[in-house]
Amino acid sequence: MSRAPWLGVVLVLGCDPSPPAADDLDPSALEVANAPQIEALAQLRDEERALRDRPPGRWTDASGPDPFAVRRVGDRIVGLLRNPGALVLLDRSGAELARHDAPAGATGWAWRDTQVDVVGELDGAVRTYRLTQGAFELVAQVDVQAAGLRAVAHGPRGVRFLADRHRGRVLALSSDGATNVVDACPGALDVQVHGRWLLANCMLAHEVRAYPLTARGPDVDGVVVVRHDGPMWSMAARAIDDGLELVLGGVEDHALERRDGTFGYIDSFVFFVDVSAKGATRRAAVNVSAHGVVTPKGLAWSGDEVWVSGAGSDALVALHADDGHLTARRSVPAGLTALDASSLPLLAANPLLDAWVLVEPQRSEVVAVPSAGRDEAVALGEALVTTTLLAPQGQTEGRASRFTCETCHFEGTVDGRVHYTGRDDVYAATKTLRGLVGNHPHFSRALDRSTIDMIHNEFRVANGGTPQDPWFDLRTDDVPWLEHLTSARELTATQLRGAMLAFLAAFEHPVNPSTLGRAQLTELEHRGASRFETLCASCHQPRRVADDPESAASSSRWAAHVFGPGDLLWASAQRVRTGIEPLVHDEGARVPSLRSLWAKRPYFTNGSAETVAAVLQGIRIGTDAVHGAGEGTPLSADDQAALAAFVDLL
């Protein structure tokens, strides 16, 4: 890791903290009460300005190898690296023996004996590998007319099912290479086949769908839907008789409550659900935040127990399948996202630490993945955003919740929710954490004029209702797993904010799957760009910095930016009344960024549009209430198609 000194700060939650930003307060009052903090924040604003003017990079260049999945295959251990995409063979101690290239952004695999299919979010192919005595061999490849593939599962008669997160759908790839759409699935995160059932996790719809498998394929009409008030991040199942025992890891099944500037009812839960042709029945709901497990991304059956790991905390627990009661607990490094509980030691992938973790009853062994290393500040900042380090004394009593930023921002994106803001009857859809530096003022009300002010507020909001002073220092001796991220013995409040700046400055949007391998606009996209310039660009401006008109790119350069760095925000800093109500501010809502629009849902502050098509259908020309779907001229079908094609590239 780099040992360079660092300063800075940035964090954004999609839920707008209601107190005003520091710039909106009386500076003299703040200086009297918190003079050292005011001085530190001023220094950090200088750091922010320097980062804002720096050309953005790719998160894949800063994230490390990102171990994503792990499992035993015979007497060997096999792991999957997300960045850039690789299969690795490990010995029993976790040491790497061999590595083979896999699809870029590899996140999904499906095994049969010693053969595995692998897909990736930055690739449009399904690749099949055979594991030989000491290496992987690529034996087949099928190109699919889709990129952004998140997961793959083996179905009957040689069919493979795919989770297409980019397009929000489930696909069926037949043995002859033909691809068909099974169903729409917003935020398609996972697909699995168990017995006679196909499971799909449609995260942004807050649904897990179970399709009966028939001789003709998945029965869409007979689908059994498990729906929650919030996202589910993981699922594990096993077939029983003609149904399923299903385990889900997700957020508390309760509307998020805002009160006194704090968040309520967003603990992490594990749900036990029985699925049959008659429907779904919840057998148990376990608050695993109370057991120290936050953001449960790893679930694994082991007999009549389910092991649960929390990406946001340092605990691993086993729950009994009958009623979810706790049967075992292990202390582990925070960041575990995938498990193999087939035998001891338990195996886990940890992308935060870029390591494999072997969990014994009394200890855990952290085995680093060979790589060039990561910047220390970026890694620590990621930990602050994705674990409970930000609010180390979080509570789980009543409405109080122990949570992380990822509770609302899965992998830095959104949760598909529309949250009550705690003000009048105003609601707001979650915003992404990616690409924040340069995209301010923040939140729909645009009160936080810099990311430094925002982070100052977020430390306060995250620690609201807890004994923790938001301006706290951190001793790494109190958090043992931090030794894998930093060499520092103590981190000051300013340094913690600096680490968050370092992380979020690096935490840029991923490559848009629609632009992979391309360099030019199609005729339809070119027409869409022309209509966008005429109809949309006065608000959604092609700027690299939202509040800097000089950073705008001319329309002749749009294609170069879209197919190159992808660094334009398609936003501005102004508030505009567009007809969307209720108003989040008397002057309207800040013009949002359209960058990576495909990863965001629903749209508008009130979440009234579920799809981009719905946004375009509601546009009215010749009125200030352009998105109000009232008076004015609607877009023609041709304009809607052209604009949809263009904004899909942003």
Side-chain angles (χ1 to χ4, degrees):
M1 289 185 179
S2 167
R3 306 299 183 189
W6 30 268
L7 287 175
V9 58
V10 173
L11 176 63
V12 181
L13 293 177
C15 313
D16 191 348
S18 45
D23 282 353
D24 291 320
L25 301 177
D26 180 358
S28 61
L30 283 176
E31 289 168 5
V32 170
N34 301 291
Q37 296 177 22
I38 297 300
E39 182 179 354
L41 293 175
Q43 294 174 351
L44 293 172
R45 289 189 187 95
D46 291 338
E47 186 77 6
E48 178 189 339
R49 282 188 283 271
L51 285 171
R52 186 187 71 172
D53 295 334
R54 185 184 67 182
R58 293 289 187 192
W59 170 236
T60 51
D61 296 330
S63 69
D66 275 355
F68 194 82
V70 64
R71 67 173 286 154
R72 286 183 174 85
V73 180
D75 60 353
R76 288 161 286 187
I77 299 173
V78 180
L80 186 67
L81 301 181
R82 185 175 190 172
N83 183 36
L87 281 163
V88 295
L89 183 65
L90 312 170
D91 68 16
R92 294 182 180 180
S93 68
E96 188 169 316
L97 301 173
R99 181 180 294 203
H100 196 291
D101 289 343
T107 52
W109 64 5
W111 284 86
R112 275 185 177 156
D113 299 323
T114 57
Q115 191 161 291
V116 59
D117 291 332
V118 184
V119 297
E121 291 186 297
L122 299 178
D123 193 271
V126 179
R127 292 184 171 87
T128 305
Y129 303 84
R130 181 182 296 115
L131 177 60
T132 60
Q133 185 62 32
F136 298 96
E137 176 189 4
L138 179 64
V139 295
Q141 175 176 325
V142 179
D143 293 322
V144 181
Q145 296 302 309
L149 300 177
R150 177 78 182 200
V152 57
H154 291 136
R157 296 177 297 279
V159 173
R160 286 168 286 186
F161 296 107
L162 307 171
D164 179 358
R165 188 179 178 193
H166 174 225
R167 297 296 184 197
R169 57 189 181 173
V170 175
L171 305 176
L173 176 63
S174 64
S175 57
D176 62 4
T179 303
N180 297 298
V181 177
V182 173
D183 201 1
C185 182
L189 196 62
D190 195 9
V191 286
Q192 299 178 15
V193 172
H194 300 277
R196 300 177 180 178
W197 294 87
L198 165 66
L199 289 173
N201 185 353
C202 307
M203 184 192 68
L204 294 183
H206 309 148
E207 294 179 351
V208 167
R209 301 173 184 170
Y211 301 90
L213 290 173
T214 70
R216 292 175 295 178
D219 180 5
V220 176
D221 293 331
V223 64
V224 176
V225 179
V226 181
R227 180 172 176 80
H228 287 174
D229 190 343
M232 291 161 275
W233 308 301
S234 57
M235 61 184 186
R238 59 184 182 182
I240 51 167
D241 300 325
D242 292 329
L244 295 172
E245 281 187 293
L246 177 60
V247 184
L248 303 172
V251 75
E252 188 168 354
D253 189 11
H254 192 293
L256 183 151
E257 180 186 287
R258 293 298 309 277
R259 188 197 307 159
D260 302 324
T262 63
F263 300 102
Y265 299 113
I266 50 172
D267 277 311
S268 292
F269 269 69
V270 167
F271 305 93
F272 291 82
V273 181
D274 293 329
V275 173
S276 70
K278 296 180 180 179
T281 303
R282 180 187 294 175
R283 190 168 66 251
V286 182
N287 183 346
V288 291
S289 283
H291 296 317
V293 175
V294 179
T295 325
K297 291 186 180 181
L299 300 172
W301 283 96
S302 178
D304 287 329
E305 295 177 324
V306 177
W307 284 93
V308 185
S309 67
S313 59
D314 55 1
L316 173 69
V317 300
L319 306 176
H320 201 278
D322 59 359
D323 61 1
H325 70 268
L326 182 72
T327 60
R329 190 181 188 279
R330 305 278 188 269
S331 293
V332 294
L336 273 57
T337 60
L339 294 173
D340 183 318
S342 57
S343 64
L344 293 177
L346 301 176
L347 305 176
N350 191 316
L352 175 63
L353 303 185
D354 287 318
W356 312 109
V357 181
L358 285 66
V359 184
E360 299 279 10
Q362 302 302 323
R363 61 186 297 272
S364 296
E365 181 71 21
V366 177
V367 183
V369 176
S371 70
R374 297 182 64 191
D375 180 83
E376 186 174 303
V378 170
L380 179 60
E382 183 178 1
L384 284 162
V385 170
T386 61
T387 77
T388 56
L389 279 183
L390 181 65
Q393 296 190 50
Q395 311 290 309
T396 60
E397 295 289 334
R399 67 179 295 278
S401 299
R402 183 177 292 137
F403 61 95
T404 76
C405 302
E406 209 179 0
T407 302
C408 291
H409 302 277
F410 180 78
E411 294 183 357
T413 58
V414 300
D415 60 357
R417 276 179 147 184
V418 181
H419 299 283
Y420 177 56
T421 65
R423 301 185 312 277
D424 301 324
D425 60 347
V426 178
Y427 288 76
T430 311
K431 296 179 181 293
T432 182
L433 295 184
R434 291 182 177 258
L436 291 181
V437 175
N439 188 22
H440 48 62
H442 297 297
F443 298 114
S444 297
R445 291 196 298 161
L447 292 185
D448 284 1
R449 298 170 187 171
S450 75
T451 49
I452 300 308
D453 297 324
M454 180 195 310
I455 196 62
H456 190 58
N457 282 329
E458 293 301 340
F459 264 91
R460 176 187 48 73
V461 170
N463 288 283
T466 80
Q468 182 67 60
D469 185 331
W471 191 273
F472 62 88
D473 299 337
L474 186 66
R475 294 178 66 252
T476 53
D477 286 347
D478 295 333
V479 188
W481 57 266
L482 276 181
E483 68 177 355
H484 303 289
L485 289 182
T486 177
S487 58
R489 302 288 294 182
E490 184 170 349
L491 299 162
T492 68
T494 303
Q495 287 176 315
L496 293 176
R497 288 156 171 77
M500 295 179 76
L501 174 62
F503 166 63
L504 289 171
F507 198 43
E508 282 292 337
H509 291 266
V511 175
N512 189 325
S514 294
T515 67
L516 289 171
R518 300 182 53 194
Q520 293 182 332
L521 299 172
T522 65
E523 181 179 346
L524 181 64
E525 292 162 351
H526 184 78
R527 185 151 44 88
S530 177
R531 297 303 288 151
F532 188 94
E533 183 177 19
T534 301
L535 300 173
C536 312
S538 60
C539 288
H540 297 286
Q541 297 185 21
R543 297 178 179 181
R544 194 174 64 79
V545 178
D547 58 1
D548 180 10
E550 297 301 316
S551 69
S554 65
S555 58
S556 64
R557 295 288 300 161
W558 287 2
H561 283 273
V562 165
F563 297 115
D567 56 349
L568 298 181
L569 295 174
W570 310 97
S572 57
Q574 72 220 54
R575 298 186 188 96
V576 180
R577 286 190 174 206
T578 64
I580 298 300
E581 295 182 345
L583 296 175
V584 297
H585 187 280
D586 288 344
E587 298 173 5
R590 208 215 93 173
V591 177
S593 170
L594 300 186
R595 193 176 175 195
S596 294
L597 197 63
W598 67 271
K600 307 170 186 177
R601 171 194 164 111
Y603 302 104
F604 300 129
T605 53
N606 62 7
S608 59
E610 290 289 336
T611 64
V612 172
V615 173
L616 296 172
Q617 289 166 8
I619 289 178
R620 295 295 180 265
I621 304 171
T623 174
D624 291 337
V626 61
H627 291 301
E631 296 181 359
T633 305
L635 295 175
S636 69
D638 287 345
D639 278 351
Q640 290 183 44
L643 282 167
F646 178 66
V647 299
D648 187 50
L649 302 173
L650 305 184

